[in-house]
Amino acid sequence: MRRRSTLKRILLVDDDEILRELMRLLLEDEGYAVDECVDGEKGLHALEAVDYQLVIADLRMPVMDGARFLREAVKRGFTIPPVIIFSGNSGDEVTDELESLPVSLVLNKPVNPDELLRVVREII
């Protein structure tokens, strides 16, 4: 059973603990509820349990990367909210990898906090 909430909930999926914590604190300071997962596999469990307004995921992670996470969520028939992907790479390789996946935006790492907040406000 999925939990429903009136809070604006964000799922943050990234294997970098420090970056994840900094982004969580930044987003929580803006009034968002943030759930963190260390990889796409754990992110799938979270998507199954909670209705999120936004997913922010790293493209490159061990166990299950961001692209595979999204492919699997689609395959399982999950309702997928808007998705922001973080990538340390840019260009055609990333575009090709994410083609046909429900990605709203790709942001390059390192992420500018002001840009992240602006984009999150626009999407939510």
PDB file of all heavy atoms in Angstrom, residues 86-104:
ATOM      1  N   PHE A  86      21.112  13.380 -12.599  1.00  0.00           N
ATOM      2  CA  PHE A  86      22.420  14.004 -12.456  1.00  0.00           C
ATOM      3  C   PHE A  86      23.432  13.163 -13.211  1.00  0.00           C
ATOM      4  O   PHE A  86      23.412  11.934 -13.125  1.00  0.00           O
ATOM      5  CB  PHE A  86      22.865  14.063 -10.998  1.00  0.00           C
ATOM      6  CG  PHE A  86      22.107  15.026 -10.157  1.00  0.00           C
ATOM      7  CD1 PHE A  86      21.813  14.718  -8.848  1.00  0.00           C
ATOM      8  CD2 PHE A  86      21.701  16.246 -10.639  1.00  0.00           C
ATOM      9  CE1 PHE A  86      21.133  15.598  -8.041  1.00  0.00           C
ATOM     10  CE2 PHE A  86      21.015  17.147  -9.847  1.00  0.00           C
ATOM     11  CZ  PHE A  86      20.730  16.816  -8.540  1.00  0.00           C
ATOM     12  N   SER A  87      24.317  13.831 -13.919  1.00  0.00           N
ATOM     13  CA  SER A  87      25.354  13.104 -14.643  1.00  0.00           C
ATOM     14  C   SER A  87      26.666  13.864 -14.584  1.00  0.00           C
ATOM     15  O   SER A  87      26.691  15.078 -14.744  1.00  0.00           O
ATOM     16  CB  SER A  87      24.936  12.905 -16.101  1.00  0.00           C
ATOM     17  OG  SER A  87      25.973  12.274 -16.807  1.00  0.00           O
ATOM     18  N   GLY A  88      27.728  13.121 -14.377  1.00  0.00           N
ATOM     19  CA  GLY A  88      29.062  13.699 -14.449  1.00  0.00           C
ATOM     20  C   GLY A  88      29.520  13.848 -15.886  1.00  0.00           C
ATOM     21  O   GLY A  88      30.506  14.521 -16.172  1.00  0.00           O
ATOM     22  N   ASN A  89      28.804  13.209 -16.810  1.00  0.00           N
ATOM     23  CA  ASN A  89      29.099  13.283 -18.236  1.00  0.00           C
ATOM     24  C   ASN A  89      27.987  14.050 -18.931  1.00  0.00           C
ATOM     25  O   ASN A  89      26.892  14.159 -18.418  1.00  0.00           O
ATOM     26  CB  ASN A  89      29.181  11.873 -18.844  1.00  0.00           C
ATOM     27  CG  ASN A  89      30.205  11.018 -18.147  1.00  0.00           C
ATOM     28  OD1 ASN A  89      31.286  11.470 -17.831  1.00  0.00           O
ATOM     29  ND2 ASN A  89      29.845   9.782 -17.867  1.00  0.00           N
ATOM     30  N   SER A  90      28.285  14.540 -20.104  1.00  0.00           N
ATOM     31  CA  SER A  90      27.243  15.202 -20.882  1.00  0.00           C
ATOM     32  C   SER A  90      27.388  14.771 -22.330  1.00  0.00           C
ATOM     33  O   SER A  90      28.331  14.091 -22.703  1.00  0.00           O
ATOM     34  CB  SER A  90      27.358  16.725 -20.765  1.00  0.00           C
ATOM     35  OG  SER A  90      28.602  17.152 -21.263  1.00  0.00           O
ATOM     36  N   GLY A  91      26.441  15.163 -23.121  1.00  0.00           N
ATOM     37  CA  GLY A  91      26.556  14.892 -24.547  1.00  0.00           C
ATOM     38  C   GLY A  91      25.715  13.730 -25.021  1.00  0.00           C
ATOM     39  O   GLY A  91      24.794  13.275 -24.359  1.00  0.00           O
ATOM     40  N   ASP A  92      26.083  13.242 -26.205  1.00  0.00           N
ATOM     41  CA  ASP A  92      25.288  12.233 -26.887  1.00  0.00           C
ATOM     42  C   ASP A  92      25.211  10.915 -26.130  1.00  0.00           C
ATOM     43  O   ASP A  92      24.183  10.239 -26.170  1.00  0.00           O
ATOM     44  CB  ASP A  92      25.848  11.984 -28.294  1.00  0.00           C
ATOM     45  CG  ASP A  92      25.673  13.193 -29.196  1.00  0.00           C
ATOM     46  OD1 ASP A  92      24.788  14.026 -28.904  1.00  0.00           O
ATOM     47  OD2 ASP A  92      26.410  13.298 -30.190  1.00  0.00           O
ATOM     48  N   GLU A  93      26.282  10.527 -25.454  1.00  0.00           N
ATOM     49  CA  GLU A  93      26.266   9.264 -24.716  1.00  0.00           C
ATOM     50  C   GLU A  93      25.141   9.248 -23.685  1.00  0.00           C
ATOM     51  O   GLU A  93      24.385   8.290 -23.583  1.00  0.00           O
ATOM     52  CB  GLU A  93      27.607   9.040 -24.026  1.00  0.00           C
ATOM     53  CG  GLU A  93      27.638   7.795 -23.155  1.00  0.00           C
ATOM     54  CD  GLU A  93      28.907   7.707 -22.328  1.00  0.00           C
ATOM     55  OE1 GLU A  93      29.954   8.226 -22.748  1.00  0.00           O
ATOM     56  OE2 GLU A  93      28.832   7.110 -21.248  1.00  0.00           O
ATOM     57  N   VAL A  94      25.019  10.317 -22.929  1.00  0.00           N
ATOM     58  CA  VAL A  94      23.974  10.425 -21.918  1.00  0.00           C
ATOM     59  C   VAL A  94      22.608  10.508 -22.579  1.00  0.00           C
ATOM     60  O   VAL A  94      21.666   9.820 -22.174  1.00  0.00           O
ATOM     61  CB  VAL A  94      24.218  11.644 -20.996  1.00  0.00           C
ATOM     62  CG1 VAL A  94      23.026  11.885 -20.081  1.00  0.00           C
ATOM     63  CG2 VAL A  94      25.500  11.451 -20.198  1.00  0.00           C
ATOM     64  N   THR A  95      22.485  11.301 -23.626  1.00  0.00           N
ATOM     65  CA  THR A  95      21.221  11.447 -24.335  1.00  0.00           C
ATOM     66  C   THR A  95      20.754  10.103 -24.882  1.00  0.00           C
ATOM     67  O   THR A  95      19.590   9.741 -24.734  1.00  0.00           O
ATOM     68  CB  THR A  95      21.365  12.464 -25.490  1.00  0.00           C
ATOM     69  OG1 THR A  95      21.816  13.705 -24.935  1.00  0.00           O
ATOM     70  CG2 THR A  95      20.051  12.680 -26.206  1.00  0.00           C
ATOM     71  N   ASP A  96      21.661   9.353 -25.490  1.00  0.00           N
ATOM     72  CA  ASP A  96      21.311   8.041 -26.038  1.00  0.00           C
ATOM     73  C   ASP A  96      20.868   7.079 -24.939  1.00  0.00           C
ATOM     74  O   ASP A  96      19.920   6.323 -25.109  1.00  0.00           O
ATOM     75  CB  ASP A  96      22.490   7.434 -26.796  1.00  0.00           C
ATOM     76  CG  ASP A  96      22.808   8.178 -28.077  1.00  0.00           C
ATOM     77  OD1 ASP A  96      21.972   8.985 -28.534  1.00  0.00           O
ATOM     78  OD2 ASP A  96      23.919   7.965 -28.617  1.00  0.00           O
ATOM     79  N   GLU A  97      21.562   7.103 -23.817  1.00  0.00           N
ATOM     80  CA  GLU A  97      21.257   6.194 -22.724  1.00  0.00           C
ATOM     81  C   GLU A  97      19.878   6.470 -22.120  1.00  0.00           C
ATOM     82  O   GLU A  97      19.192   5.550 -21.667  1.00  0.00           O
ATOM     83  CB  GLU A  97      22.327   6.306 -21.636  1.00  0.00           C
ATOM     84  CG  GLU A  97      22.226   5.247 -20.590  1.00  0.00           C
ATOM     85  CD  GLU A  97      23.453   5.200 -19.704  1.00  0.00           C
ATOM     86  OE1 GLU A  97      24.416   5.949 -19.934  1.00  0.00           O
ATOM     87  OE2 GLU A  97      23.453   4.391 -18.774  1.00  0.00           O
ATOM     88  N   LEU A  98      19.465   7.728 -22.114  1.00  0.00           N
ATOM     89  CA  LEU A  98      18.203   8.106 -21.485  1.00  0.00           C
ATOM     90  C   LEU A  98      17.044   8.216 -22.470  1.00  0.00           C
ATOM     91  O   LEU A  98      15.917   8.473 -22.068  1.00  0.00           O
ATOM     92  CB  LEU A  98      18.380   9.436 -20.739  1.00  0.00           C
ATOM     93  CG  LEU A  98      19.395   9.389 -19.597  1.00  0.00           C
ATOM     94  CD1 LEU A  98      19.605  10.780 -19.020  1.00  0.00           C
ATOM     95  CD2 LEU A  98      18.968   8.401 -18.518  1.00  0.00           C
ATOM     96  N   GLU A  99      17.347   8.010 -23.755  1.00  0.00           N
ATOM     97  CA  GLU A  99      16.302   8.099 -24.772  1.00  0.00           C
ATOM     98  C   GLU A  99      15.173   7.132 -24.442  1.00  0.00           C
ATOM     99  O   GLU A  99      15.397   6.014 -24.022  1.00  0.00           O
ATOM    100  CB  GLU A  99      16.888   7.763 -26.146  1.00  0.00           C
ATOM    101  CG  GLU A  99      15.930   8.031 -27.274  1.00  0.00           C
ATOM    102  CD  GLU A  99      16.580   7.786 -28.624  1.00  0.00           C
ATOM    103  OE1 GLU A  99      17.805   7.583 -28.688  1.00  0.00           O
ATOM    104  OE2 GLU A  99      15.851   7.801 -29.604  1.00  0.00           O
ATOM    105  N   SER A 100      13.964   7.595 -24.597  1.00  0.00           N
ATOM    106  CA  SER A 100      12.727   6.855 -24.351  1.00  0.00           C
ATOM    107  C   SER A 100      12.444   6.607 -22.868  1.00  0.00           C
ATOM    108  O   SER A 100      11.529   5.874 -22.532  1.00  0.00           O
ATOM    109  CB  SER A 100      12.693   5.527 -25.125  1.00  0.00           C
ATOM    110  OG  SER A 100      13.467   4.546 -24.481  1.00  0.00           O
ATOM    111  N   LEU A 101      13.229   7.194 -21.979  1.00  0.00           N
ATOM    112  CA  LEU A 101      12.950   7.091 -20.549  1.00  0.00           C
ATOM    113  C   LEU A 101      12.270   8.367 -20.071  1.00  0.00           C
ATOM    114  O   LEU A 101      12.484   9.442 -20.639  1.00  0.00           O
ATOM    115  CB  LEU A 101      14.245   6.850 -19.770  1.00  0.00           C
ATOM    116  CG  LEU A 101      14.894   5.490 -19.995  1.00  0.00           C
ATOM    117  CD1 LEU A 101      16.240   5.422 -19.280  1.00  0.00           C
ATOM    118  CD2 LEU A 101      13.985   4.368 -19.529  1.00  0.00           C
ATOM    119  N   PRO A 102      11.472   8.279 -19.006  1.00  0.00           N
ATOM    120  CA  PRO A 102      10.717   9.445 -18.541  1.00  0.00           C
ATOM    121  C   PRO A 102      11.581  10.423 -17.745  1.00  0.00           C
ATOM    122  O   PRO A 102      11.435  10.567 -16.538  1.00  0.00           O
ATOM    123  CB  PRO A 102       9.627   8.813 -17.668  1.00  0.00           C
ATOM    124  CG  PRO A 102      10.269   7.568 -17.142  1.00  0.00           C
ATOM    125  CD  PRO A 102      11.159   7.072 -18.247  1.00  0.00           C
ATOM    126  N   VAL A 103      12.485  11.101 -18.447  1.00  0.00           N
ATOM    127  CA  VAL A 103      13.387  12.059 -17.805  1.00  0.00           C
ATOM    128  C   VAL A 103      12.970  13.468 -18.190  1.00  0.00           C
ATOM    129  O   VAL A 103      12.862  13.794 -19.364  1.00  0.00           O
ATOM    130  CB  VAL A 103      14.851  11.803 -18.227  1.00  0.00           C
ATOM    131  CG1 VAL A 103      15.775  12.860 -17.658  1.00  0.00           C
ATOM    132  CG2 VAL A 103      15.287  10.413 -17.789  1.00  0.00           C
ATOM    133  N   SER A 104      12.728  14.307 -17.181  1.00  0.00           N
ATOM    134  CA  SER A 104      12.340  15.700 -17.426  1.00  0.00           C
ATOM    135  C   SER A 104      13.538  16.573 -17.737  1.00  0.00           C
ATOM    136  O   SER A 104      13.451  17.496 -18.530  1.00  0.00           O
ATOM    137  CB  SER A 104      11.608  16.271 -16.206  1.00  0.00           C
ATOM    138  OG  SER A 104      10.451  15.530 -15.927  1.00  0.00           O
TER     139      SER A 104
END
